[in-house]
Amino acid sequence: MARAMTMRRRPAAADDNGRTAVVAEGARRGAWGVARLVMFVARVVVLVIVAGILLVVLKANPGNEIVQAVTDAARWLAGPFKNLFTFGNFRTGVAVNWGIAAVVYYLAASLVARLLAR
């Protein structure tokens, strides 16, 4: 009969290098996971802001609950960029200022994710 293949395990008290490598790999995976989470949240934020821009620019019905929810969320997220640039047309101001907010959020999240991934 053929003997079943068994995996050999390293003795628990072999050396500190083995445990250090395992801990380093775990930390690396954890940092990559956090970096991926940061980028996911950034993409959701950018998506909400861009959807808000489109709803305002395309003159969506402000009485609709979905339109209200999306534009309120986008307005809150782009709050620090309110009136960064002023234009005679309200929709142009929203497109420019909220667009800048979306770009800044994405770039900041990319930087944070890149630092975490190192």
Side-chain angles (χ1 to χ4, degrees):
M1 283 203 173
R3 185 186 254 182
M5 298 284 290
T6 59
M7 294 182 58
R8 290 186 181 175
R9 288 186 158 184
R10 184 190 296 198
D15 62 354
D16 196 33
N17 290 337
R19 282 182 266 155
T20 303
V22 170
V23 170
E25 180 65 25
R28 207 173 303 121
R29 285 185 184 186
W32 272 98
V34 174
R36 288 177 55 151
L37 180 64
V38 166
M39 286 309 300
F40 175 76
V41 171
R43 288 183 184 111
V44 170
V45 167
V46 169
L47 180 68
V48 168
I49 292 173
V50 169
I53 291 170
L54 290 174
L55 291 173
V56 170
V57 169
L58 298 175
K59 297 181 184 179
N61 179 10
N64 184 296
E65 291 182 23
I66 295 172
V67 173
Q68 283 181 344
V70 172
T71 55
D72 286 346
R75 186 177 297 113
W76 182 79
L77 289 168
F81 299 89
K82 182 180 180 180
N83 296 328
L84 188 62
F85 294 102
T86 55
F87 296 93
N89 186 347
F90 171 73
R91 288 178 297 176
T92 303
V94 166
V96 171
N97 292 325
W98 291 11
I100 292 171
V103 169
V104 168
Y105 281 130
Y106 191 79
L107 291 176
S110 295
L111 176 66
V112 170
R114 187 170 288 178
L115 291 174
L116 285 170
R118 284 185 163 201

